[in-house]
Amino acid sequence: MQITFLGTGTSHGIPVIACDCETCQSNNPKNKRNRTSIHIKSEKYNLLIDTPPEMRLELVNNNIKKVDAVLMTHAHADHIMGFDDIRALNWYQEKEMPVYADPGTLEHIKRIYPYIFSDNNPGGGVPQVVLKEIEAKFKLQDLNIKAVPIYHGDNLILGYRINNFAYLTDCSKIPEESFELLEGIEYAAVDALRYKEHPTHMSVDQAVDLVNKLGLKHGYLTHMSHRVEHEDLVKYLPDNVSPAFDGLVIEV
Ligand SMILES: [Zn+2]
Ligand SMILES: [Zn+2]
Ligand SMILES: [Zn+2]
């Protein structure tokens, strides 16, 4: 599979509005982070995880034209506010978009975007989506997908295992039961907000511990804040973990 990190920044994006810190003022493109999302391409299928506010720019910048289905992790603004951009994929691909999420997230999508699901929509121009309640385990062509419950503070949201890769963003802790679902993975994208601990996200050290506990060949850190400067983090991390950055493409 080919994985493209479309966005690797926390909810506020980097640079942060009006921030003069070293990371926000850096000229290194790896310190520019849009809101978190990835694209997964296999021989037969193309998945997008989440629809962040910069979804349009992320797909355009990475020349991604094909998305066969969208998986949603949860309904926070930084993961959902690009949902309307699914329209352009409908036009290009001439098909409806299946969107998989847990029941709570599906309810939030309907509440946040009532016009998409209304019969009385004079303007037309709405995304053509088919909302699908996530199953614990399902297959889309050559992708074996498992929904992996993870803690985001006190809330359980969804991570995903896709073949030998797991996407674990907005994660403060993995429940014991979910480790079974992750058995045998080789690579993962792991939430690492900043060096200091945080109630709803893992810190850099906690993310490294998780990579080691899962026995990964390599872990990629994502959902990073401006407290984390790319080159400093590269120096800080062990060999089996690297910071992801917007536009990073890996083969797994
Ligand atoms: Zn987030
Ligand atoms: Zn800053
Ligand atoms: Zn969140």
Side-chain angles (χ1 to χ4, degrees):
M1 298 188 294
Q2 186 181 75
I3 308 220
T4 306
F5 287 85
L6 300 173
T8 57
T10 189
S11 54
H12 51 57
I14 291 107
V16 181
I17 295 170
C19 185
D20 293 326
C21 82
E22 185 202 353
T23 309
C24 290
Q25 293 302 316
S26 163
N27 290 323
N28 183 347
K30 291 176 181 168
N31 281 319
K32 313 259 180 246
R33 304 184 185 119
N34 285 329
R35 267 58 75 92
T36 300
S37 175
I38 56 165
H39 181 261
I40 298 178
K41 176 183 159 61
S42 67
E43 246 169 68
K44 296 186 178 164
Y45 213 74
N46 293 270
L47 277 182
L48 176 69
I49 306 190
D50 289 332
T51 59
E54 293 99 351
M55 173 173 158
R56 178 181 69 84
L57 295 173
E58 292 178 354
L59 296 185
V60 169
N61 291 348
N62 291 284
N63 196 28
I64 285 169
K65 298 178 174 177
K66 288 202 72 184
V67 175
D68 297 305
V70 178
L71 306 181
M72 304 298 295
T73 59
H74 65 307
H76 281 163
D78 53 323
H79 297 260
I80 208 166
M81 294 316 289
F83 197 80
D84 198 84
D85 289 341
I86 290 174
R87 272 187 302 159
L89 292 166
N90 294 143
W91 302 331
Y92 180 70
Q93 302 183 125
E94 298 182 335
K95 61 180 182 183
E96 292 179 318
M97 183 67 72
V99 176
Y100 294 83
D102 62 31
T105 301
L106 294 178
E107 283 311 308
H108 283 303
I109 292 172
K110 287 190 243 176
R111 180 180 55 77
I112 295 165
Y113 297 98
Y115 64 93
I116 298 178
F117 305 98
S118 158
D119 293 334
N120 178 19
N121 188 33
V126 299
Q128 304 297 313
V129 296
V130 187
L131 299 185
K132 291 177 180 275
E133 194 173 312
I134 200 88
E135 292 171 48
K137 194 175 154 184
F138 59 109
K139 201 171 153 87
L140 295 171
Q141 298 286 343
D142 52 352
L143 300 178
N144 287 304
I145 302 170
K146 283 182 185 172
V148 181
I150 54 177
Y151 281 112
H152 186 16
D154 293 334
N155 295 323
L156 274 176
I157 66 154
L158 293 181
Y160 289 99
R161 176 190 183 152
I162 298 130
N163 294 351
N164 63 341
F165 174 80
Y167 189 61
L168 305 168
T169 191
D170 292 62
C171 176
S172 46
K173 193 175 187 275
I174 310 266
E176 264 327 299
E177 312 83 79
S178 290
F179 277 102
E180 211 174 292
L181 304 171
L182 296 168
E183 239 166 64
I185 61 166
E186 296 177 297
Y187 301 92
V190 179
D191 184 352
L193 183 73
R194 62 186 192 190
Y195 295 98
K196 203 175 141 196
E197 291 190 7
H198 187 276
T200 59
H201 296 273
M202 283 190 286
S203 66
V204 170
D205 288 343
Q206 288 169 331
V208 170
D209 287 348
L210 179 63
V211 169
N212 291 332
K213 184 167 178 183
L214 291 169
L216 301 182
K217 283 191 180 162
H218 204 88
Y220 296 88
L221 305 187
T222 191
H223 211 287
M224 291 166 286
S225 85
H226 63 153
R227 305 285 176 214
V228 177
E229 197 283 323
H230 181 87
E231 296 303 333
D232 290 346
L233 184 57
V234 169
K235 283 180 213 143
Y236 181 81
L237 289 172
D239 290 346
N240 59 337
V241 188
S242 348
F245 53 88
D246 291 22
L248 170 66
V249 180
I250 58 169
E251 288 285 342
V252 300

